[in-house]
Amino acid sequence: MSILSTQQILDAGLGDWRRLAQALHARFLTRDFTTGLALVSAIGELAEDANHHPDISLTYPHVDVKLLSHDASGVTQRDVDLARRISNLAAERGITSDPAAPAVVELALDTADVAGIGPFWAALLTGDASAVDGDDVADPTGRVPLLWFQHTDAHETPRQRFHLDVWLPHDAADARIAAAVAAGGTVVDDAEAPSFTVLADAEGNRACVCTILER
């Protein structure tokens, strides 16, 4: 199946879901463990029926669900279809969602030598030095954030080499940026907003708030 564009995903009208980076994410407010466990079990039945299996995290107050077509490395129609079925299931049980809650943090490292340092970071983060796919180090078990290498020219004086990419729902990013600024941060560069906005703390350490818009 083909990967859906950002606009196609937005046009699908999935009120409970937001795409962050590659996948669809939703948080359902189950409020107690028993309700959450029952929801997870019901989602499992839907997934078996669709032969398409999401990643699910169950905690005491909520259930987080992530949908991605791994064979296509992106969101496809099968993800949209299953997302809609999961939302209908939650609604039937009186379970609401918090669309502003999902977030994904990725690590970015500037380097002029991906081949030279990639295996080290793959081994350190995942235990497998071969877990480098292009410019990414990804842990298939989800234990650690994705690390991606940002290409740069070689330089003698180290600049800030690491920064965080904080992926947020496109309709929640402005509020998070405002909160960070109110807490002492500054907007360094918003030329690429709403795709990404570069922020810095009081010492100049940078991070990017990222959304799916205009990508």
Side-chain angles (χ1 to χ4, degrees):
M1 301 184 73
S2 60
I3 297 175
L4 299 180
S5 68
T6 295
Q7 193 59 52
Q8 286 174 314
I9 294 170
L10 293 174
D11 290 344
L14 301 174
D16 297 329
W17 301 79
R18 296 293 184 270
R19 181 187 149 200
L20 309 179
Q22 289 185 311
L24 291 176
H25 296 258
R27 171 166 290 183
F28 294 99
L29 305 178
T30 49
R31 306 193 185 282
D32 64 76
F33 195 82
T34 301
T35 301
L37 186 60
L39 179 63
V40 170
S41 179
I43 292 174
E45 293 180 5
L46 290 180
E48 286 295 304
D49 182 61
N51 193 29
H52 186 44
H53 302 94
D55 294 335
I56 304 175
S57 298
L58 167 65
T59 63
Y60 181 81
H62 56 254
V63 170
D64 289 335
V65 187
K66 173 185 173 183
L67 279 166
L68 173 71
S69 293
H70 294 281
D71 55 351
S73 297
V75 175
T76 67
Q77 189 61 44
R78 74 164 71 99
D79 299 299
V80 170
D81 293 341
L82 185 54
R84 189 170 284 115
R85 294 183 68 188
I86 292 172
S87 288
N88 290 340
L89 177 69
E92 291 168 359
R93 295 166 179 249
I95 298 171
T96 59
S97 67
D98 184 357
V104 171
V105 174
E106 295 180 348
L107 303 175
L109 176 59
D110 291 348
T111 180
D113 186 12
V114 174
I117 70 171
F120 166 82
W121 286 103
L124 180 66
L125 294 174
T126 75
D128 179 5
S130 68
V132 184
D133 183 9
D135 291 333
D136 296 338
V137 172
D139 178 8
T141 66
R143 295 167 298 179
V144 296
L146 180 141
L147 168 68
W148 65 278
F149 298 108
Q150 180 167 273
H151 292 258
T152 186
D153 295 331
H155 48 81
E156 294 182 3
T157 303
R159 300 188 290 265
Q160 181 184 351
R161 305 298 294 272
F162 273 107
H163 74 265
L164 300 182
D165 281 346
V166 182
W167 285 86
L168 295 171
H170 61 275
D171 47 359
D174 286 347
R176 187 69 61 88
I177 292 168
V181 170
T186 57
V187 174
V188 176
D189 186 355
D190 61 1
E192 300 297 328
S195 178
F196 67 89
T197 300
V198 183
L199 305 176
D201 66 14
E203 294 185 345
N205 300 301
R206 298 187 178 190
C208 293
V209 173
C210 305
T211 80
I212 63 167
L213 299 182
E214 298 185 11
R215 290 180 180 267

